[in-house]
Every structure is written in structure tokens, then in C-alpha cells.
Amino acid sequence: TDRPLAGPADLAQALGTSPEVEQCFIRHLFRYLLGRDETYGDACTLEAAHTAYRTSNGSLSATGQSIMTSDTVLYRAATTED
């Protein structure tokens, strides 16, 4: 936010309503659930997860379900190990 903060409660309120903080949370949840960093190809999955988060009033279950049922997870490429 580009405004002066009145104290800790005001900071908490500003962070709690920040879309940037929500997106950061979604990225970290994605990384935790998939065990890897996001790539450019994951942008749609992250956007859909953020939409699920917002429309469910911040439900972790709905957000995680959005990620785990995404094309990113359902159609991930097989990896080969040497």
C-alpha cells in the first residue's frame, strides 16, 4: 500500500486485503503441493487457483483442489532419471 500505516493492526488489514499477498500465498502453496517452482506454463493454473481462493473467501481446500485438479497436475510430463 502507498499510504501511511497507523500501526500493527492497520498493517495486518492492509496485508490481509492485498491481491499481491494472496498471489504470493498461492505461489507458495503451488510450490508446496507440487514440490517444484512454478514455470511460465503454470500461469493459468496459478490464475485459476487465485480465482478459487477469492470466490471461496480464502478457502485453503478450494484453492488446493483447484491446483491439484489443474491441467498442470493432470497432464504433467513424465520425467526420466538416469
Side-chain angles (χ1 to χ4, degrees):
T1 179
D2 291 337
R3 63 179 177 83
L5 299 171
D10 198 23
L11 174 61
Q13 177 65 28
L15 292 174
T17 58
S18 168
E20 291 85 4
V21 171
E22 291 174 359
Q23 291 168 349
C24 182
F25 169 73
I26 301 301
R27 272 194 317 278
H28 283 282
L29 180 61
F30 177 94
R31 292 171 182 174
Y32 175 78
L33 292 174
L34 273 65
R36 66 172 178 82
D37 286 344
E38 67 282 359
T39 65
Y40 179 77
D42 299 319
C44 291
T45 297
L46 292 167
E47 185 177 336
H50 190 215
T51 299
Y53 178 86
R54 306 262 357 235
T55 59
S56 68
N57 291 323
S59 168
L60 181 59
S61 177
T63 307
Q65 183 176 2
S66 174
I67 293 170
M68 297 309 291
T69 59
S70 68
D71 286 351
T72 295
V73 173
L74 298 176
Y75 300 107
R76 67 182 178 262
T79 58
T80 58
E81 294 186 27
D82 297 327

Coordinates of all heavy atoms in Angstrom, one line a residue:
T1 N 0.8 -1.2 0.0 CA 0.0 0.0 0.0 C 0.9 1.2 0.0 O 2.0 1.2 0.5 CB -1.0 0.0 1.2 OG1 -1.8 1.1 1.2 CG2 -0.2 -0.1 2.5
D2 N 0.4 2.3 -0.6 CA 1.2 3.5 -0.7 C 0.6 4.6 0.3 O 0.6 5.8 0.0 CB 1.1 4.1 -2.1 CG 1.9 3.2 -3.1 OD1 2.8 2.5 -2.6 OD2 1.6 3.3 -4.3
R3 N 0.1 4.1 1.4 CA -0.4 5.1 2.4 C 0.3 4.8 3.7 O 0.8 3.8 4.0 CB -1.9 4.9 2.5 CG -2.3 3.6 3.0 CD -3.9 3.5 3.2 NE -4.3 2.2 3.6 CZ -4.3 1.7 4.8 NH1 -3.9 2.5 5.8 NH2 -4.7 0.5 5.1
P4 N 0.3 5.8 4.6 CA 0.9 5.6 5.9 C 0.0 4.6 6.7 O -1.2 4.6 6.6 CB 0.8 7.0 6.6 CG 0.5 8.0 5.5 CD -0.1 7.2 4.4
L5 N 0.7 3.8 7.5 CA 0.0 2.9 8.3 C 0.0 3.4 9.8 O 1.0 3.9 10.3 CB 0.7 1.5 8.3 CG 0.8 0.9 6.9 CD1 1.7 -0.3 6.9 CD2 -0.6 0.5 6.4
A6 N -1.2 3.1 10.4 CA -1.4 3.7 11.8 C -0.8 2.7 12.8 O -0.7 3.1 14.0 CB -2.9 3.9 12.0
G7 N -0.4 1.5 12.5 CA 0.1 0.6 13.5 C 0.0 -0.8 13.0 O -0.4 -1.1 11.8
P8 N 0.3 -1.8 13.9 CA 0.3 -3.2 13.5 C -1.1 -3.7 13.0 O -1.1 -4.4 12.0 CB 0.6 -3.9 14.8 CG 1.4 -2.9 15.6 CD 0.8 -1.6 15.3
A9 N -2.2 -3.2 13.6 CA -3.5 -3.7 13.1 C -3.8 -3.1 11.7 O -4.4 -3.9 10.9 CB -4.6 -3.2 14.1
D10 N -3.3 -1.9 11.5 CA -3.5 -1.3 10.1 C -2.7 -2.1 9.1 O -3.1 -2.4 8.0 CB -3.1 0.1 10.1 CG -3.7 0.9 9.0 OD1 -4.7 0.4 8.3 OD2 -3.1 2.0 8.6
L11 N -1.4 -2.5 9.5 CA -0.6 -3.3 8.6 C -1.2 -4.6 8.3 O -1.3 -5.1 7.2 CB 0.8 -3.5 9.2 CG 1.7 -4.4 8.5 CD1 2.0 -3.9 7.1 CD2 3.0 -4.6 9.3
A12 N -1.8 -5.3 9.3 CA -2.4 -6.6 9.1 C -3.6 -6.5 8.2 O -3.8 -7.3 7.3 CB -2.8 -7.2 10.5
Q13 N -4.4 -5.4 8.4 CA -5.5 -5.2 7.5 C -5.1 -4.9 6.0 O -5.7 -5.5 5.1 CB -6.3 -4.0 8.0 CG -7.5 -3.6 7.1 CD -8.6 -4.6 7.1 OE1 -8.7 -5.4 8.0 NE2 -9.3 -4.7 6.0
A14 N -4.0 -4.2 5.9 CA -3.5 -3.9 4.5 C -3.0 -5.2 3.9 O -3.3 -5.4 2.7 CB -2.4 -2.8 4.6
L15 N -2.3 -6.0 4.6 CA -1.7 -7.2 4.1 C -2.9 -8.2 3.8 O -2.8 -9.0 2.8 CB -0.7 -7.8 5.0 CG 0.6 -7.1 5.2 CD1 1.4 -7.7 6.3 CD2 1.3 -7.0 3.9
G16 N -3.9 -8.3 4.7 CA -5.0 -9.2 4.5 C -5.9 -8.9 3.3 O -6.6 -9.8 2.9
T17 N -5.8 -7.7 2.8 CA -6.7 -7.4 1.7 C -5.8 -7.2 0.4 O -6.4 -6.7 -0.6 CB -7.5 -6.1 2.0 OG1 -6.6 -5.1 2.3 CG2 -8.5 -6.4 3.1
S18 N -4.6 -7.5 0.4 CA -3.7 -7.2 -0.7 C -3.7 -8.4 -1.7 O -3.4 -9.5 -1.4 CB -2.2 -7.1 -0.2 OG -1.3 -7.1 -1.3
P19 N -4.1 -8.1 -3.0 CA -4.0 -9.1 -4.0 C -2.6 -9.7 -4.2 O -2.4 -10.9 -4.5 CB -4.5 -8.4 -5.3 CG -5.2 -7.2 -4.8 CD -4.6 -6.8 -3.5
E20 N -1.6 -8.9 -4.0 CA -0.2 -9.3 -4.2 C 0.2 -10.4 -3.1 O 0.9 -11.3 -3.4 CB 0.8 -8.1 -4.1 CG 0.7 -7.2 -5.3 CD -0.4 -6.1 -5.1 OE1 -1.1 -6.1 -4.1 OE2 -0.6 -5.4 -6.1
V21 N -0.3 -10.2 -1.9 CA -0.1 -11.1 -0.8 C -0.8 -12.4 -1.1 O -0.3 -13.5 -0.9 CB -0.5 -10.5 0.6 CG1 -0.4 -11.6 1.7 CG2 0.5 -9.4 0.9
E22 N -2.0 -12.3 -1.6 CA -2.8 -13.5 -2.0 C -2.0 -14.3 -3.1 O -1.9 -15.5 -3.0 CB -4.2 -13.1 -2.5 CG -5.1 -12.6 -1.5 CD -6.4 -12.1 -2.1 OE1 -6.6 -12.1 -3.3 OE2 -7.3 -11.6 -1.3
Q23 N -1.5 -13.6 -4.1 CA -0.8 -14.3 -5.2 C 0.5 -14.9 -4.6 O 0.8 -16.0 -5.1 CB -0.5 -13.3 -6.3 CG -1.8 -12.8 -7.0 CD -1.5 -11.7 -7.9 OE1 -0.5 -11.0 -7.9 NE2 -2.5 -11.4 -8.8
C24 N 1.1 -14.3 -3.7 CA 2.3 -14.9 -3.1 C 2.0 -16.2 -2.4 O 2.7 -17.2 -2.5 CB 3.0 -13.9 -2.2 SG 4.5 -14.4 -1.4
F25 N 0.9 -16.1 -1.6 CA 0.4 -17.3 -0.9 C 0.1 -18.4 -1.9 O 0.5 -19.6 -1.6 CB -0.8 -16.9 -0.1 CG -1.5 -18.2 0.5 CD1 -0.9 -18.9 1.5 CD2 -2.7 -18.6 0.0 CE1 -1.6 -20.0 2.1 CE2 -3.4 -19.7 0.5 CZ -2.8 -20.4 1.5
I26 N -0.6 -18.1 -3.0 CA -0.9 -19.1 -4.0 C 0.3 -19.8 -4.6 O 0.4 -21.0 -4.7 CB -1.8 -18.5 -5.1 CG1 -3.1 -17.9 -4.5 CG2 -2.1 -19.5 -6.2 CD1 -4.0 -18.9 -3.8
R27 N 1.3 -18.9 -4.9 CA 2.6 -19.4 -5.4 C 3.2 -20.4 -4.5 O 3.7 -21.5 -4.9 CB 3.5 -18.3 -5.8 CG 3.4 -17.8 -7.2 CD 4.5 -16.9 -7.6 NE 5.0 -15.9 -6.6 CZ 4.5 -14.8 -6.3 NH1 3.4 -14.4 -7.0 NH2 5.0 -14.0 -5.4
H28 N 3.3 -20.0 -3.2 CA 3.9 -20.9 -2.2 C 3.1 -22.2 -2.0 O 3.7 -23.2 -1.8 CB 4.2 -20.1 -0.9 CG 5.4 -19.2 -1.0 ND1 6.7 -19.6 -1.0 CD2 5.4 -17.9 -1.3 CE1 7.5 -18.6 -1.1 NE2 6.7 -17.5 -1.3
L29 N 1.8 -22.1 -2.0 CA 1.0 -23.3 -1.9 C 1.3 -24.2 -3.1 O 1.4 -25.4 -3.0 CB -0.5 -22.9 -1.8 CG -1.4 -24.1 -1.7 CD1 -1.2 -24.9 -0.4 CD2 -2.9 -23.6 -1.7
F30 N 1.3 -23.7 -4.3 CA 1.6 -24.4 -5.5 C 3.0 -25.1 -5.4 O 3.1 -26.3 -5.6 CB 1.7 -23.5 -6.7 CG 2.0 -24.1 -8.0 CD1 1.1 -24.5 -8.9 CD2 3.4 -24.2 -8.4 CE1 1.4 -25.1 -10.1 CE2 3.7 -24.8 -9.6 CZ 2.7 -25.3 -10.4
R31 N 4.0 -24.4 -4.9 CA 5.3 -25.0 -4.8 C 5.3 -26.1 -3.7 O 6.0 -27.1 -3.9 CB 6.3 -23.9 -4.3 CG 6.6 -22.9 -5.4 CD 7.4 -21.7 -4.8 NE 7.6 -20.7 -5.9 CZ 8.2 -19.5 -5.6 NH1 8.6 -19.2 -4.4 NH2 8.3 -18.7 -6.6
Y32 N 4.6 -25.9 -2.7 CA 4.5 -27.0 -1.6 C 3.8 -28.2 -2.2 O 4.3 -29.3 -2.0 CB 3.8 -26.4 -0.4 CG 3.5 -27.5 0.6 CD1 4.6 -27.8 1.5 CD2 2.3 -28.1 0.8 CE1 4.4 -28.8 2.5 CE2 2.1 -29.0 1.8 CZ 3.1 -29.4 2.6 OH 2.9 -30.4 3.5
L33 N 2.7 -28.0 -2.8 CA 1.9 -29.2 -3.3 C 2.6 -29.9 -4.4 O 2.5 -31.1 -4.5 CB 0.5 -28.7 -3.8 CG -0.4 -28.2 -2.7 CD1 -1.7 -27.6 -3.3 CD2 -0.7 -29.3 -1.7
L34 N 3.2 -29.2 -5.3 CA 3.9 -29.9 -6.5 C 5.3 -30.2 -6.3 O 5.9 -30.9 -7.1 CB 3.7 -29.0 -7.7 CG 2.3 -29.3 -8.5 CD1 1.1 -28.9 -7.6 CD2 2.3 -28.7 -9.8
G35 N 5.9 -29.6 -5.2 CA 7.3 -29.9 -5.0 C 8.3 -29.3 -6.0 O 9.4 -29.8 -6.2
R36 N 7.9 -28.2 -6.6 CA 8.7 -27.5 -7.6 C 8.3 -26.1 -7.7 O 7.2 -25.7 -7.3 CB 8.7 -28.2 -8.9 CG 7.3 -28.1 -9.6 CD 7.4 -28.6 -11.0 NE 6.1 -28.6 -11.7 CZ 5.5 -27.6 -12.3 NH1 6.1 -26.4 -12.3 NH2 4.4 -27.7 -12.9
D37 N 9.2 -25.3 -8.3 CA 8.8 -23.9 -8.6 C 7.9 -23.8 -9.8 O 7.9 -24.7 -10.6 CB 10.1 -23.1 -8.9 CG 10.9 -22.8 -7.6 OD1 10.4 -22.9 -6.5 OD2 12.1 -22.4 -7.8
E38 N 7.2 -22.8 -9.8 CA 6.3 -22.6 -11.0 C 7.1 -22.2 -12.2 O 8.2 -21.6 -12.1 CB 5.2 -21.5 -10.6 CG 5.7 -20.1 -10.5 CD 6.4 -19.8 -9.1 OE1 6.5 -20.7 -8.3 OE2 6.8 -18.7 -9.0
T39 N 6.5 -22.4 -13.4 CA 7.1 -22.0 -14.6 C 6.1 -21.1 -15.4 O 5.0 -21.0 -14.9 CB 7.4 -23.2 -15.5 OG1 6.2 -23.9 -15.9 CG2 8.4 -24.2 -14.8
Y40 N 6.6 -20.6 -16.5 CA 5.7 -19.7 -17.3 C 4.4 -20.5 -17.7 O 3.3 -20.0 -17.7 CB 6.4 -19.2 -18.5 CG 5.6 -18.4 -19.4 CD1 5.4 -17.1 -19.1 CD2 5.1 -18.9 -20.6 CE1 4.6 -16.3 -19.9 CE2 4.3 -18.1 -21.4 CZ 4.1 -16.8 -21.1 OH 3.3 -16.0 -21.9
G41 N 4.6 -21.8 -18.0 CA 3.4 -22.6 -18.4 C 2.4 -22.9 -17.3 O 1.3 -23.4 -17.6
D42 N 2.7 -22.5 -16.1 CA 1.8 -22.7 -14.9 C 0.9 -21.5 -14.7 O 0.2 -21.5 -13.7 CB 2.6 -23.0 -13.7 CG 3.4 -24.3 -13.8 OD1 2.8 -25.3 -14.4 OD2 4.5 -24.4 -13.3
A43 N 1.1 -20.4 -15.5 CA 0.4 -19.2 -15.2 C -1.2 -19.4 -15.1 O -1.8 -18.8 -14.2 CB 0.7 -18.2 -16.3
C44 N -1.7 -20.2 -16.0 CA -3.2 -20.4 -16.0 C -3.6 -21.1 -14.7 O -4.7 -20.8 -14.2 CB -3.6 -21.1 -17.2 SG -3.5 -20.2 -18.8
T45 N -2.8 -22.1 -14.3 CA -3.1 -22.8 -13.1 C -3.1 -21.8 -11.9 O -4.0 -21.9 -11.0 CB -2.1 -23.9 -12.9 OG1 -2.3 -24.9 -13.9 CG2 -2.3 -24.7 -11.5
L46 N -2.1 -21.0 -11.8 CA -2.0 -20.0 -10.7 C -3.1 -19.0 -10.7 O -3.7 -18.7 -9.7 CB -0.6 -19.3 -10.8 CG 0.6 -20.2 -10.5 CD1 1.9 -19.5 -10.8 CD2 0.6 -20.7 -9.0
E47 N -3.5 -18.6 -11.9 CA -4.6 -17.7 -12.0 C -5.9 -18.3 -11.6 O -6.7 -17.7 -10.9 CB -4.7 -17.1 -13.5 CG -5.8 -16.1 -13.6 CD -5.8 -15.5 -15.0 OE1 -4.8 -15.6 -15.8 OE2 -6.9 -15.0 -15.4
A48 N -6.1 -19.5 -12.0 CA -7.4 -20.3 -11.6 C -7.4 -20.5 -10.1 O -8.4 -20.4 -9.5 CB -7.5 -21.6 -12.4
A49 N -6.2 -20.8 -9.5 CA -6.2 -21.0 -8.1 C -6.5 -19.7 -7.3 O -7.1 -19.7 -6.3 CB -4.8 -21.6 -7.7
H50 N -6.0 -18.6 -7.9 CA -6.3 -17.3 -7.2 C -7.7 -17.0 -7.3 O -8.4 -16.5 -6.3 CB -5.4 -16.2 -7.8 CG -5.5 -14.9 -7.1 ND1 -5.4 -13.7 -7.7 CD2 -5.6 -14.7 -5.8 CE1 -5.5 -12.8 -6.8 NE2 -5.6 -13.3 -5.6
T51 N -8.3 -17.3 -8.4 CA -9.8 -17.1 -8.6 C -10.6 -18.0 -7.6 O -11.5 -17.5 -6.9 CB -10.2 -17.4 -10.0 OG1 -9.6 -16.5 -10.9 CG2 -11.7 -17.3 -10.2
A52 N -10.1 -19.2 -7.5 CA -10.8 -20.2 -6.5 C -10.6 -19.6 -5.1 O -11.6 -19.7 -4.3 CB -10.2 -21.5 -6.6
Y53 N -9.5 -19.1 -4.8 CA -9.2 -18.5 -3.4 C -10.2 -17.3 -3.2 O -10.8 -17.3 -2.1 CB -7.8 -18.1 -3.3 CG -7.4 -17.4 -2.0 CD1 -7.0 -18.2 -1.0 CD2 -7.4 -16.0 -1.9 CE1 -6.7 -17.6 0.3 CE2 -7.1 -15.4 -0.7 CZ -6.7 -16.2 0.4 OH -6.4 -15.6 1.6
R54 N -10.3 -16.5 -4.1 CA -11.1 -15.3 -4.0 C -12.6 -15.6 -3.9 O -13.4 -15.1 -3.1 CB -10.9 -14.3 -5.1 CG -9.5 -13.9 -5.3 CD -8.9 -12.6 -4.8 NE -9.6 -11.6 -4.1 CZ -9.6 -10.4 -4.4 NH1 -9.0 -10.0 -5.5 NH2 -10.1 -9.5 -3.6
T55 N -13.1 -16.5 -4.8 CA -14.5 -16.8 -4.8 C -14.9 -17.7 -3.6 O -16.1 -17.8 -3.3 CB -14.9 -17.5 -6.1 OG1 -14.1 -18.7 -6.3 CG2 -14.7 -16.6 -7.3
S56 N -14.0 -18.4 -3.0 CA -14.3 -19.2 -1.8 C -14.0 -18.5 -0.5 O -14.0 -19.2 0.5 CB -13.5 -20.5 -1.9 OG -12.2 -20.3 -1.7
N57 N -13.8 -17.2 -0.5 CA -13.5 -16.4 0.7 C -12.2 -17.0 1.4 O -12.2 -17.1 2.6 CB -14.7 -16.4 1.6 CG -15.8 -15.6 1.1 OD1 -15.6 -14.6 0.4 ND2 -17.0 -16.0 1.3
G58 N -11.2 -17.4 0.6 CA -10.0 -17.8 1.1 C -9.9 -19.2 1.6 O -9.0 -19.5 2.4
S59 N -10.7 -20.1 1.0 CA -10.7 -21.5 1.4 C -9.4 -22.2 0.9 O -9.2 -22.2 -0.3 CB -11.9 -22.2 0.9 OG -11.8 -23.6 1.0
L60 N -8.7 -22.7 1.9 CA -7.5 -23.5 1.5 C -7.8 -24.7 0.7 O -7.2 -25.1 -0.2 CB -6.7 -23.8 2.8 CG -5.4 -24.6 2.6 CD1 -4.4 -23.8 1.7 CD2 -4.7 -24.9 3.9
S61 N -8.9 -25.3 1.1 CA -9.4 -26.6 0.5 C -9.7 -26.3 -1.0 O -9.3 -27.0 -1.9 CB -10.6 -27.1 1.2 OG -11.1 -28.2 0.5
A62 N -10.5 -25.2 -1.2 CA -10.9 -24.9 -2.6 C -9.7 -24.5 -3.5 O -9.6 -24.9 -4.6 CB -11.9 -23.8 -2.6
T63 N -8.7 -23.8 -2.9 CA -7.5 -23.4 -3.6 C -6.7 -24.6 -3.9 O -6.2 -24.8 -5.0 CB -6.7 -22.4 -2.7 OG1 -7.6 -21.3 -2.4 CG2 -5.6 -21.8 -3.5
G64 N -6.5 -25.5 -2.9 CA -5.7 -26.7 -3.2 C -6.3 -27.6 -4.2 O -5.7 -28.2 -5.1
Q65 N -7.6 -27.7 -4.1 CA -8.4 -28.5 -5.1 C -8.2 -28.0 -6.5 O -8.0 -28.7 -7.5 CB -9.8 -28.6 -4.7 CG -10.6 -29.5 -5.7 CD -12.1 -29.6 -5.2 OE1 -12.5 -29.0 -4.2 NE2 -12.8 -30.4 -5.9
S66 N -8.2 -26.7 -6.6 CA -8.0 -26.0 -7.9 C -6.7 -26.4 -8.5 O -6.5 -26.7 -9.7 CB -8.2 -24.5 -7.8 OG -7.9 -23.9 -9.0
I67 N -5.7 -26.3 -7.7 CA -4.3 -26.7 -8.1 C -4.2 -28.1 -8.5 O -3.7 -28.5 -9.6 CB -3.3 -26.3 -7.1 CG1 -3.2 -24.7 -6.9 CG2 -1.9 -26.8 -7.4 CD1 -2.4 -24.3 -5.7
M68 N -4.7 -29.0 -7.6 CA -4.5 -30.4 -7.8 C -5.3 -31.0 -8.9 O -5.1 -32.2 -9.3 CB -4.7 -31.2 -6.5 CG -3.7 -30.8 -5.4 SD -2.0 -30.9 -5.9 CE -1.8 -32.6 -6.0
T69 N -6.4 -30.3 -9.3 CA -7.2 -30.8 -10.5 C -6.9 -30.1 -11.7 O -7.6 -30.2 -12.7 CB -8.7 -30.7 -10.1 OG1 -9.0 -29.4 -9.8 CG2 -9.0 -31.6 -8.9
S70 N -5.8 -29.3 -11.8 CA -5.5 -28.5 -12.9 C -4.8 -29.3 -14.0 O -4.3 -30.4 -13.7 CB -4.6 -27.3 -12.5 OG -3.3 -27.9 -12.1
D71 N -4.7 -28.8 -15.2 CA -4.0 -29.5 -16.3 C -2.5 -29.6 -15.9 O -1.9 -30.6 -16.4 CB -4.2 -28.7 -17.6 CG -5.6 -28.9 -18.2 OD1 -6.4 -29.7 -17.7 OD2 -5.8 -28.2 -19.2
T72 N -2.0 -28.7 -15.2 CA -0.6 -28.8 -14.8 C -0.3 -30.1 -14.0 O 0.7 -30.7 -14.3 CB -0.3 -27.6 -13.8 OG1 -0.4 -26.4 -14.6 CG2 1.1 -27.7 -13.3
V73 N -1.3 -30.5 -13.2 CA -1.1 -31.8 -12.5 C -1.6 -33.0 -13.3 O -0.9 -34.0 -13.4 CB -1.8 -31.7 -11.1 CG1 -1.8 -33.0 -10.4 CG2 -1.2 -30.6 -10.2
L74 N -2.7 -32.8 -13.9 CA -3.3 -34.0 -14.6 C -2.6 -34.4 -15.8 O -2.6 -35.6 -16.2 CB -4.8 -33.7 -14.9 CG -5.7 -33.4 -13.7 CD1 -7.1 -33.0 -14.2 CD2 -5.8 -34.6 -12.8
Y75 N -1.9 -33.5 -16.5 CA -1.2 -33.8 -17.7 C 0.2 -33.4 -17.7 O 0.8 -33.0 -18.6 CB -1.9 -33.0 -18.9 CG -3.3 -33.4 -19.0 CD1 -4.3 -32.5 -18.7 CD2 -3.7 -34.6 -19.5 CE1 -5.7 -32.8 -18.8 CE2 -5.1 -35.0 -19.6 CZ -6.0 -34.1 -19.3 OH -7.3 -34.4 -19.4
R76 N 0.9 -33.6 -16.5 CA 2.3 -33.3 -16.4 C 3.1 -34.3 -17.2 O 2.7 -35.5 -17.3 CB 2.7 -33.3 -14.9 CG 2.7 -34.6 -14.2 CD 3.1 -34.4 -12.7 NE 3.0 -35.6 -12.0 CZ 2.0 -36.0 -11.3 NH1 1.0 -35.2 -11.1 NH2 2.0 -37.1 -10.6
A77 N 4.2 -33.9 -17.7 CA 5.1 -34.7 -18.5 C 5.8 -35.7 -17.6 O 6.2 -35.4 -16.5 CB 6.1 -33.8 -19.3
A78 N 6.0 -36.9 -18.1 CA 6.8 -37.9 -17.4 C 8.3 -37.5 -17.4 O 8.8 -36.9 -18.4 CB 6.6 -39.2 -18.1
T79 N 8.9 -37.8 -16.4 CA 10.4 -37.5 -16.3 C 11.1 -38.8 -16.3 O 10.7 -39.8 -15.8 CB 10.7 -36.6 -15.1 OG1 10.3 -37.4 -13.9 CG2 10.0 -35.3 -15.1
T80 N 12.3 -38.7 -16.9 CA 13.2 -39.9 -16.8 C 14.4 -39.6 -16.0 O 15.0 -38.5 -16.1 CB 13.6 -40.4 -18.3 OG1 14.2 -39.3 -18.9 CG2 12.4 -40.7 -19.1
E81 N 14.8 -40.6 -15.2 CA 16.0 -40.4 -14.4 C 17.1 -41.3 -14.9 O 16.8 -42.4 -15.3 CB 15.7 -40.6 -13.0 CG 14.8 -39.6 -12.4 CD 14.6 -39.8 -10.9 OE1 15.5 -40.3 -10.2 OE2 13.5 -39.4 -10.4
D82 N 18.3 -40.8 -15.0 CA 19.4 -41.6 -15.5 C 19.9 -42.6 -14.4 O 19.9 -42.5 -13.3 CB 20.6 -40.8 -15.9 CG 20.2 -39.9 -17.1 OD1 19.4 -40.3 -17.9 OD2 20.7 -38.8 -17.2

